[in-house]
Amino acid sequence: MDLENTFKTGRWCKAIEVKDFVTLNITPYTGDHKFLEGPTARTSKLWDICKDALKEERQNNGLRDVDVNVVSGLTAFEAGYIDKESEVIVGLQTDKLLKRAMKPYGGYNVVKKALSEHGLEPNPIIHESFSKYTKTHNDGVFDAYTDEIRKFRSLGFLTGLPDNYARGRIIGDYRRVALYGINRLIEGKKEDLQKITGPMTDATIRLREEVSEQLRALSDMIEMGKIYGLDLSRPAQNGQEAVQWTYMAYLAAVKEQDGAAMSLGSVSSFLDIFIEKDIQDGKITESEAQEYIDQFVMKLRMVRHLRMEAYDQIFAGDPTWVTESIGGLLIDGRSKVTKTSFRFLNTLYNLGPSPEPNITILWSKNLPKGFKDYCAKVSIETSSIQYENDDLMRTSSNCDDYGIACCVSMQELGKHIQFFGARTNLAKTLLLAINSGRCENTGTQMVDGIPFIEEEYLDYAKIIDNFKIAMKEVARVYNEAMNIIHYMHDKYYYEKAQMALIDTNPKINIAYGIAGLSIVADSLSAIKHAKVKPIRDENGLTVDFQIEGDFPKYGNDDDRVDHIARDVVEHFNLELEKLPVYKNAMPTMSVLTITSNVVYGKKTGATPDGRAKGVAFAPGANPMHGRDTHGVIASLNSVAKIDYKDSKDGISNTLSVVPKSLGATPEMRIENLVRTLDGYFGCNAQHLNVNVLDRDTLLHAMEHPEDHPQLTIRVSGYAVNFVRLTREQQQEVLTRSFHETM
Amino acid sequence: MSPTENKLIVHSIESFGTHDGPGIRLVVFLQGCNLQCKYCQNADTIALKGGASTEIESLIKRAINMKTYFGDDGGVTVSGGEPMLQSKALIPFFETLKTEGIHTNIDTNGLIRTPEAKHLISELADLVMFDVKATTEEGFKSITGAKGLGRLLENIQLREQSKKPYWLRYVLVPDYTDSDESLSWLIETFSGNKYLEKFEILPYHKLGIYKWESLGMDYQFKEVEENTPEQIERAFEMLKPHFKDVIVK
Ligand code: SF4
């Protein structure tokens, strides 16, 4: 099949422009889900094997197997299969199902630690190489870190920075391999390389080196395909190959890298074009089409990285963030929903609920009703999907071909990357303002120039002034750390396979983040609307706060406090925007915590909102547990007031409701969830996780994890197997506001 | 505190009401009730004291902020307690909601017959949901502590005559309201009503007992068992053929 004679031609034939191909050839689907098929016998057989392997993994402390003799890479392992005969989509990261591999370039110590936690050691030759001769990203960062950055990091002002693990967040345009074949991609990159000429500045030299690396990765990808008997040098010829080729491209990325989040992008409607053609030609049945997607998704569910236990505190449940974005509209107003969009969601029935791939619905009020209803049904029945506001993101960036990196971050596919930056603890930053710039736990001087507060009761105007000084300084240190991290990551652990599938000089945004927003908002509200008296120890550090009177709390659709939250986000973002960024990346910010809200809480003393020392933060931009007393929509509306323009990397919100609160009948529940999503996004909100669960189910799963191996719950921006969370994190999920009113 | 023209005495607010009228609703629970039903689920709303005096304007702002969620049929429901006790202040509230294009609904026991209450029933409210507590005056008294069936029927009649939609809600209390005679009376009395859009059967449950206990009050229906599925099914099957839309909540 010659693709140019098969499909509508356009710019995509002359240049690498997958989006143009999709726009010209997509077949939007407006019907309902009734056409979907169940799993084939082969798929069920494979999934049974996977389920056994997953059980073994759980029983074996989260690690089924690991190769201590090989440094992972595109061609490092022989072919691996689940059950070769039953597989229509092949390829594993290593030569065995759920066997993990070492990727030491992010940080060798982390690999060693992860192994030693399981009583293992790396092969001595590898050990010698990485301890004597090979420098890693982690080594580089710590060579450059200042004492000040170390201090902010170790005391918990900056947490989860990707300085000892891979940064992730880059989305290769994996579709390119299917549409063009690798030979054509090599040609393109060679042309690019020729055009990168002098004067030989830092940037030019670096870019030449990077493109050369990418070329090497592309050749390796061809070799990797050969291991599985696939000729990736040419374009895919049919639906099965399109899925297979796309998966191989993704597989190359996860063989080379172990980034925190390695999203897939938005492949479903691209693949649909090939699948639809096969169906039109009578070559395959619906059942076969579903089989491709089921098996593809199964493979994505089996992606693993080697992690140490400490990593689990910030990213609990062993997530990989294979985020696949589905739906949305084209700029011309047509829907991007295809039958394959439905087929992806249908995997949650054919294979059961699962956190991965992290299925993300790009919601528009103009999506077809059949699709909206199906999404709501899937949410209610599996709690496995999340939603992001396509109308907001598409129009504000004039882009209709994007994926979500990790949880909430928009990225134009193949044209745009981001530098991940974890987050800063804004609640601790506020405490600096009340403790003359000292850490509330240790008394360490963090920020100079903040006067000591003498008054018995906190004065709002003074605290705001001090808080601004603190934010400015924290932003400065944060920015310095980020620049060092990304400089070193490029140098020692450059994502050559992914970058080979992205334009040579992409747009870059640097993704800062904040945690503790609801605590800051409530604290400032308490100071402003009630009387707050700090209780100090002998060193003058706050140990507690006495609050007299009531105050408006974030999460109740009350502007008096919601605008404080909004303004803090705006202000901190403005501080960050002032600072110079490595590679001239554009500064952006998110309000997102992943599961680090628990560990952040531990590191933060008592706060003026009445929160005791050590208590977990609310996740993302969520209101604090139990303080949103006016029901779901008031709570959503408070979050919706945070302006997306101030937090372009995303604003995460998690909604947990019991089924009955959505309505009396299954139909009403679907209808009301659709309305809730339309309503929330109609207020220009950006992101929503939806959990529809009974608290009793979670309690039962805590006591009997073996009965709930696939119980999935959405946390800040991703989903996890509930039974794989630590007990502490499970407790945190349980104390979170479950809206139960009927 | 007593209600004034621009304030309502509010017990609590539920912004995600999915069980008190059509669609997603802002439900404003008002403080105070003229009855004292033995099974009241919101015992803490009965007392005429307490509640928070709330500017109507702030409630309207809440409702406006919820417009994107309302879709074609959502809106505002006032419930309680007995909202008609504050009918005077409800009039400007509903009038403003109307100009904002927001659907209004009253969840009432239907006993109050002040001119303002009548105006709300016959004119202003887009929907009225009447609680039918019992089918005889004696039954009514044994559940609510007072007689009132006659006034309720007059108000329902007023709504019917004004040709505006309304719903009836009927709590199915075993041995109190679920006899064949009671159900037949409902059919005889209401099945001919043209503007009765929906008949909701509310199974009896005891979820609100804790509120009585926390108020230090005695829950007098302790011995009454919750309905069996068969009892609910029987009532549903009996009523279903006679009304446009019968649902069990
Ligand atoms: S009328 Fe309603 S609020 Fe009043 S006592 Fe009876 S059940 Fe409770």
Side-chain angles (χ1 to χ4, degrees):
Chain A
M1 172 166 87
D2 179 0
L3 299 187
E4 296 190 19
N5 292 326
T6 311
F7 296 110
K8 256 188 229 154
T9 54
R11 265 195 344 269
W12 66 272
C13 303
K14 307 255 152 19
I16 311 290
E17 285 282 358
V18 182
K19 173 189 137 134
D20 183 57
F21 171 78
V22 173
T23 309
L24 287 169
N25 290 288
I26 191 171
T27 310
Y29 173 71
T30 53
D32 63 20
H33 66 279
K34 305 247 164 61
F35 74 93
L36 291 166
E37 294 278 350
T40 61
R42 291 190 290 206
T43 297
S44 298
K45 184 175 177 201
L46 291 172
W47 185 235
D48 283 341
I49 298 170
C50 290
K51 278 195 283 194
D52 286 342
L54 287 164
K55 194 167 166 198
E56 223 179 277
E57 185 181 55
R58 269 195 312 278
Q59 286 165 349
N60 202 18
N61 211 4
L63 185 79
R64 186 175 187 232
D65 197 355
V66 59
D67 197 317
V68 299
N69 297 309
V70 179
V71 171
S72 189
L74 272 58
T75 55
F77 293 95
E78 289 301 308
Y81 297 94
I82 302 171
D83 171 50
K84 197 172 175 182
E85 255 114 75
S86 308
E87 290 180 49
V88 296
I89 304 298
V90 297
L92 292 175
Q93 275 171 300
T94 63
D95 52 5
K96 194 180 145 199
L97 182 59
L98 297 185
K99 179 182 185 179
R100 302 184 194 221
M102 299 186 297
K103 293 164 195 140
Y105 293 100
Y108 175 59
N109 287 333
V110 172
V111 170
K112 235 174 27 185
K113 178 103 199 303
L115 290 179
S116 79
E117 282 166 359
H118 295 275
L120 299 167
E121 276 176 13
N123 167 312
I125 299 170
I126 292 173
H127 178 71
E128 189 177 0
S129 164
F130 279 90
S131 33
K132 282 196 187 154
Y133 311 117
T134 309
K135 194 167 172 180
T136 67
H137 163 57
N138 178 237
D139 301 328
V141 170
F142 279 81
D143 278 354
Y145 264 178
T146 61
D147 290 344
E148 191 182 37
I149 296 172
R150 286 166 198 253
K151 191 166 76 176
F152 271 77
R153 191 182 173 274
S154 65
L155 293 177
F157 289 85
L158 300 173
T159 305
L161 295 174
D163 54 14
N164 65 1
Y165 64 93
R167 61 189 171 190
R169 290 268 184 122
I170 288 170
I171 312 177
D173 188 357
Y174 305 110
R175 306 168 300 181
R176 289 184 179 189
V177 172
L179 184 59
Y180 293 104
I182 293 173
N183 282 348
R184 170 74 182 82
L185 299 178
I186 289 176
E187 255 172 55
K189 285 290 178 186
K190 280 188 174 159
E191 278 167 30
D192 287 352
L193 185 59
Q194 268 175 8
K195 285 184 214 143
I196 306 166
T197 53
M200 284 299 157
T201 58
D202 271 13
T204 311
I205 299 168
R206 190 163 50 219
L207 193 58
R208 281 196 62 88
E209 188 186 12
E210 286 173 359
V211 176
S212 301
E213 292 265 339
Q214 294 170 18
L215 280 162
R216 216 163 291 132
L218 288 169
S219 307
D220 284 354
M221 248 181 255
I222 296 178
E223 293 307 309
M224 185 191 82
K226 284 185 191 155
I227 297 175
Y228 285 94
L230 306 169
D231 180 9
L232 302 179
S233 69
R234 60 162 176 83
Q237 300 295 299
N238 53 41
Q240 182 271 333
E241 284 192 1
V243 177
Q244 179 70 72
W245 268 223
T246 303
Y247 173 56
M248 279 286 142
Y250 182 74
L251 190 62
V254 290
K255 276 173 177 274
E256 182 201 289
Q257 287 280 329
D258 52 359
M262 297 182 68
S263 296
L264 181 61
S266 179
V267 304
S268 66
S269 292
F270 164 78
L271 297 175
D272 189 75
I273 296 169
F274 289 81
I275 292 172
E276 185 63 24
K277 173 85 180 106
D278 287 358
I279 290 180
Q280 290 305 324
D281 292 352
K283 288 189 186 142
I284 62 168
T285 61
E286 177 54 37
S287 178
E288 284 166 289
Q290 184 66 49
E291 187 177 49
Y292 301 158
I293 303 301
D294 283 343
Q295 294 206 11
F296 180 26
V297 163
M298 194 186 306
K299 291 288 159 77
L300 298 173
R301 289 185 182 192
M302 296 299 118
V303 170
R304 289 294 182 277
H305 301 300
L306 183 62
R307 306 289 192 203
M308 57 179 187
E309 275 163 25
Y311 186 89
D312 212 45
Q313 298 204 326
I314 36 174
F315 306 127
D318 208 7
T320 47
W321 279 284
V322 189
T323 306
E324 163 65 5
S325 302
I326 296 175
L329 300 188
L330 291 165
I331 282 172
D332 64 23
R334 285 180 298 154
S335 144
K336 281 203 290 176
V337 172
T338 61
K339 282 191 168 178
T340 301
S341 313
F342 280 82
R343 291 179 188 119
F344 262 85
L345 288 168
N346 191 33
T347 62
L348 291 165
Y349 294 105
N350 286 355
L351 307 176
S354 166
E356 302 284 353
N358 182 18
I359 293 184
T360 303
I361 305 301
L362 303 178
W363 190 269
S364 161
K365 64 177 186 306
N366 295 323
L367 287 180
K369 180 173 187 310
F371 186 67
K372 281 183 173 178
D373 287 353
Y374 188 56
C375 291
K377 176 178 148 71
V378 173
S379 261
I380 291 165
E381 290 169 359
T382 72
S383 292
S384 296
I385 56 180
Q386 65 172 354
Y387 301 86
E388 314 224 356
N389 190 346
D390 176 61
D391 292 331
L392 179 69
M393 295 186 289
R394 172 179 22 88
T395 51
S396 73
S397 58
N398 195 29
C399 165
D400 60 5
D401 187 51
Y402 62 94
I404 296 298
C406 184
C407 308
V408 293
S409 315
M410 176 188 191
Q411 238 170 73
E412 184 170 5
L413 294 172
K415 315 255 161 211
H416 181 187
I417 64 163
Q418 79 165 209
F419 290 155
F420 167 54
R423 49 207 53 86
T424 188
N425 184 335
L426 221 52
K428 269 182 92 76
T429 307
L430 176 62
L431 289 174
L432 290 176
I434 309 171
N435 287 303
S436 46
R438 293 173 299 163
C439 169
E440 79 284 6
N441 290 326
T442 61
T444 316
Q445 191 70 43
M446 308 300 296
V447 170
D448 293 330
I450 297 181
F452 186 73
I453 304 262
E454 315 230 344
E455 299 86 344
E456 195 180 357
Y457 292 97
L458 297 177
D459 174 73
Y460 184 69
K462 268 193 193 156
I463 296 297
I464 289 284
D465 285 347
N466 289 357
F467 187 34
K468 283 183 176 166
I469 301 173
M471 281 196 277
K472 183 171 189 223
E473 289 302 294
V474 171
R476 176 183 58 75
V477 179
Y478 189 10
N479 162 265
E480 289 174 9
M482 289 284 280
N483 285 346
I484 291 173
I485 289 168
H486 291 288
Y487 178 96
M488 294 300 174
H489 203 292
D490 277 349
K491 190 164 171 188
Y492 295 106
Y493 201 13
Y494 180 70
E495 292 90 341
K496 50 189 181 296
Q498 286 155 284
M499 296 303 290
L501 305 176
I502 292 171
D503 288 0
T504 291
N505 227 337
K507 281 181 287 180
I508 308 173
N509 72 292
I510 192 158
Y512 299 105
I514 57 170
L517 178 64
S518 54
I519 290 168
V520 170
D522 285 351
S523 293
L524 290 172
S525 172
I527 295 168
K528 188 171 183 183
H529 298 284
K531 290 178 83 179
V532 179
K533 185 166 142 185
I535 314 289
R536 297 182 187 270
D537 66 8
E538 63 280 9
N539 301 314
L541 296 171
T542 54
V543 290
D544 204 356
F545 293 88
Q546 212 171 296
I547 306 168
E548 296 165 25
D550 203 5
F551 58 94
K553 295 167 191 92
Y554 175 67
N556 295 293
D557 196 2
D558 187 332
D559 287 350
R560 289 174 299 167
V561 53
D562 298 346
H563 286 174
I564 294 177
R566 181 196 65 188
D567 294 348
V568 165
V569 170
E570 183 185 28
H571 184 86
F572 193 62
N573 185 54
L574 283 174
E575 287 298 340
L576 290 165
E577 279 182 353
K578 290 177 192 161
L579 301 160
V581 190
Y582 167 66
K583 278 194 174 174
N584 289 321
M586 191 182 71
T588 60
M589 191 177 92
S590 68
V591 188
L592 174 75
T593 55
I594 323 289
T595 46
S596 61
N597 55 313
V598 176
V599 62
Y600 272 112
K602 272 194 195 163
K603 291 190 174 183
T604 306
T607 39
D609 57 334
R611 176 193 144 278
K613 180 184 165 110
V615 171
F617 290 6
N622 271 69
M624 199 58 179
H625 331 297
R627 290 187 193 161
D628 42 355
T629 53
H630 290 72
V632 166
I633 291 175
S635 179
L636 294 178
N637 275 352
S638 284
V639 180
K641 285 176 207 168
I642 298 168
D643 197 333
Y644 176 63
K645 83 164 178 17
D646 302 323
S647 196
K648 279 232 159 167
D649 199 48
I651 301 156
S652 169
N653 192 8
T654 300
L655 168 68
S656 299
V657 290
V658 300
K660 222 171 165 179
S661 72
L662 281 175
T665 64
E667 297 75 39
M668 282 169 72
R669 289 174 197 174
I670 288 174
E671 208 173 293
N672 284 333
L673 182 53
V674 168
R675 283 176 172 145
T676 303
L677 291 163
D678 275 338
Y680 185 55
F681 293 136
C683 297
N684 290 326
Q686 195 246 351
H687 164 261
L688 194 66
N689 273 314
V690 177
N691 287 311
V692 185
L693 287 163
D694 276 312
R695 199 190 284 269
D696 290 345
T697 312
L698 299 180
L699 285 169
H700 191 264
M702 278 174 84
E703 299 317 317
H704 306 280
E706 65 287 352
D707 295 347
H708 302 271
Q710 286 186 269
L711 177 64
T712 303
I713 175 159
R714 304 279 330 168
V715 292
S716 182
Y718 71 117
V720 284
N721 274 130
F722 184 72
V723 296
R724 294 186 68 177
L725 291 175
T726 62
R727 191 128 189 125
E728 202 175 13
Q729 283 157 339
Q730 291 178 335
Q731 291 287 6
E732 193 273 328
V733 168
L734 274 163
T735 53
R736 205 178 280 171
S737 299
F738 254 88
H739 293 274
E740 309 200 42
T741 0
M742 294 180 241
Chain B
M1 275 183 268
S2 66
T4 62
E5 299 259 326
N6 53 8
K7 286 197 174 134
L8 285 161
I9 310 297
V10 174
H11 169 269
S12 59
I13 286 169
E14 170 55 57
S15 61
F16 193 55
T18 55
H19 290 75
D20 296 291
I24 291 177
R25 311 196 69 85
L26 173 67
V27 186
V28 182
F29 294 95
L30 298 181
Q31 183 70 37
C33 190
N34 52 332
L35 297 178
Q36 187 160 358
C37 303
K38 297 200 169 109
Y39 55 62
C40 180
Q41 301 297 325
N42 300 320
D44 50 344
T45 66
I46 297 176
L48 292 165
K49 288 199 186 110
S53 173
T54 309
E55 301 271 351
I56 285 175
E57 214 183 293
S58 80
L59 296 170
I60 290 181
K61 180 150 194 279
R62 274 188 187 282
I64 291 172
N65 285 358
M66 287 181 57
K67 270 189 182 179
T68 54
Y69 300 82
F70 288 151
D72 305 330
D73 55 356
V76 173
T77 296
V78 289
S79 181
E82 174 46 52
M84 288 297 195
L85 289 175
Q86 303 187 41
S87 49
K88 213 175 204 157
L90 284 180
I91 288 176
F93 183 36
F94 273 29
E95 277 170 347
T96 315
L97 289 172
K98 234 185 175 100
T99 56
E100 286 291 340
I102 295 170
H103 180 270
T104 53
N105 173 25
I106 306 181
D107 174 16
T108 175
N109 62 35
L111 264 59
I112 299 192
R113 306 217 71 218
T114 58
E116 291 85 4
K118 284 191 200 164
H119 178 58
L120 283 158
I121 292 171
S122 62
E123 282 295 322
L124 211 44
D126 293 317
L127 179 68
V128 181
M129 303 193 302
F130 294 100
D131 275 339
V132 180
K133 302 279 184 195
T135 56
T136 62
E137 280 293 6
E138 293 70 51
F140 203 95
K141 192 170 177 200
S142 72
I143 288 173
T144 68
K147 288 191 178 176
L149 183 58
R151 277 180 283 158
L152 168 68
L153 292 177
E154 282 177 49
N155 272 336
I156 294 176
Q157 218 31 49
L158 175 65
R159 183 74 181 176
E160 174 73 20
Q161 278 160 5
S162 61
K163 303 188 175 170
K164 290 196 161 69
Y166 60 100
W167 297 4
L168 298 183
R169 310 176 107 188
Y170 189 71
V171 183
L172 200 66
V173 190
D175 299 335
Y176 281 79
T177 66
D178 69 343
S179 67
D180 279 357
E181 298 81 73
S182 293
L183 298 174
S184 303
W185 182 89
L186 291 170
I187 294 166
E188 269 163 45
T189 314
F190 300 118
S191 63
N193 292 12
K194 275 203 198 131
Y195 295 90
L196 171 54
E197 298 282 338
K198 196 182 273 220
F199 195 108
E200 290 190 342
I201 301 171
L202 313 180
Y204 170 75
H205 63 77
K206 299 180 172 181
L207 296 175
I209 292 192
Y210 77 96
K211 290 190 188 165
W212 287 80
E213 283 165 357
S214 66
L215 290 166
M217 285 153 64
D218 206 19
Y219 185 77
Q220 293 177 38
F221 264 28
K222 261 190 199 129
E223 81 294 350
V224 180
E225 293 297 319
E226 297 193 354
N227 320 77
T228 63
E230 294 74 37
Q231 288 171 337
I232 297 171
E233 184 65 19
R234 192 185 117 258
F236 176 71
E237 289 303 331
M238 238 180 111
L239 297 176
K240 193 176 166 238
H242 302 281
F243 298 98
K244 260 185 234 165
D245 188 7
V246 179
I247 66 157
V248 177
K249 302 250 8 188

